[in-house]
């Protein structure tokens, strides 16, 4: 019975992520504004620069653009699936599983915004260093930032779910 319940919870958790990933494959930056706008707002706050939205392209700043590839859709899906998995595997009470699954949605979104903002701000800093720029550096920076935030979030969420006093609050 427990394996059947785990399967049901897993399907409930993974289905929206797979559906979202499938639906967004042809989206432009216009459809991804729910991810791009908060990132550009935070980047504008931290850099003091303003941006202009260019339909179909993204948010143009002086010297760079935040576009579709900066949305972090893959990170959002991976983060949601990871936190959903932890919710299912680390709890035995159905009510806590459901609450943890529901909390993992806004948490994944927030982590995606945070990770993308940090990645862009870090890339802007690295651009100023001689010899530390280009597509390989940008890609490596993305891997380091995304993986670091995902590992930290996973560890904290796991701790929160398994800390008996807080598990009731999940």
């Amino acid at each position: 019975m427990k394996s059947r319940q785990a399967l049901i919870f897993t399907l409930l958790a993974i289905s929206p992520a797979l559906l979202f990933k499938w639906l967004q494959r042809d989206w432009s930056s216009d459809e991804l504004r729910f991810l791009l706008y908060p990132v550009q707002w935070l980047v504008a706050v931290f850099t003091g620069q303003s941006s202009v939205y260019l339909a179909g392209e993204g948010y143009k700043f002086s010297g760079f653009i935040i576009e579709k590839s900066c949305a972090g859709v893959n990170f959002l899906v991976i983060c949601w699936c990871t936190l959903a998995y932890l919710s299912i595997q680390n709890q035995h009470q159905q009510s806590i599983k459901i609450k943890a699954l529901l909390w993992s949605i806004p948490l994944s979104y927030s982590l995606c915004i945070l990770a993308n903002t940090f990645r862009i701000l870090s890339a802007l800093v690295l651009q100023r260093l001689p010899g530390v720029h280009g597509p390989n550096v940008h890609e490596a920076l993305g891997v380091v930032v995304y993986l670091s935030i995902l590992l930290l979030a996973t560890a904290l969420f796991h701790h929160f779910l398994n800390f008996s006093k807080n598990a009731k609050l999940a």
Side-chain angles (χ1 to χ4, degrees):
M1 183 68 172
K2 289 192 185 252
S3 63
R4 184 174 182 211
Q5 285 178 344
L7 178 62
I8 290 170
F9 275 109
T10 302
L11 291 175
L12 287 173
I14 301 300
S15 297
L18 294 176
L19 179 64
F20 175 71
K21 183 65 179 148
W22 184 76
L23 289 174
Q24 69 79 40
R25 71 190 188 284
D26 295 323
W27 289 356
S28 71
S29 61
D30 297 332
E31 289 88 6
L32 292 169
R33 283 179 86 171
F34 73 99
L35 290 171
L36 295 174
Y37 178 80
V39 171
Q40 75 78 32
W41 184 83
L42 287 169
V43 169
V45 166
F46 284 108
T47 63
Q49 295 183 26
S50 60
S51 68
V52 176
Y53 184 74
L54 304 173
E57 291 184 46
Y59 290 93
K60 177 132 177 70
F61 285 82
S62 169
F64 67 99
I65 188 165
I66 300 175
E67 45 107 3
K68 178 182 176 176
S69 67
C70 299
V73 172
N74 291 332
F75 178 80
L76 179 63
V77 169
I78 291 168
C79 190
W80 157 252
C81 290
T82 302
L83 298 182
Y85 174 79
L86 287 174
S87 301
I88 294 164
Q89 295 300 316
N90 288 304
Q91 287 299 321
H92 301 291
Q93 297 176 4
Q94 283 187 349
S95 62
I96 295 176
K97 277 186 190 184
I98 292 169
K99 288 177 187 177
L101 278 170
L102 292 175
W103 271 108
S104 65
I105 296 168
L107 183 58
S108 297
Y109 177 77
S110 300
L111 288 168
C112 182
I113 301 303
L114 174 73
N116 288 333
T117 302
F118 188 72
R119 190 183 112 232
I120 291 167
L121 292 173
S122 299
L124 291 174
V125 169
L126 287 179
Q127 277 182 342
R128 296 179 182 167
L129 300 175
V132 186
H133 50 79
N136 291 339
V137 173
H138 186 73
E139 198 170 309
L141 177 64
V143 169
V144 169
V145 169
Y146 286 142
L147 191 56
S148 299
I149 290 177
L150 184 62
L151 289 173
L152 180 62
T154 300
L156 290 173
F157 198 65
H158 176 75
H159 175 74
F160 183 77
L161 287 173
N162 288 303
F163 187 47
S164 61
K165 185 172 127 184
N166 288 335
K168 295 174 185 168
L169 302 174

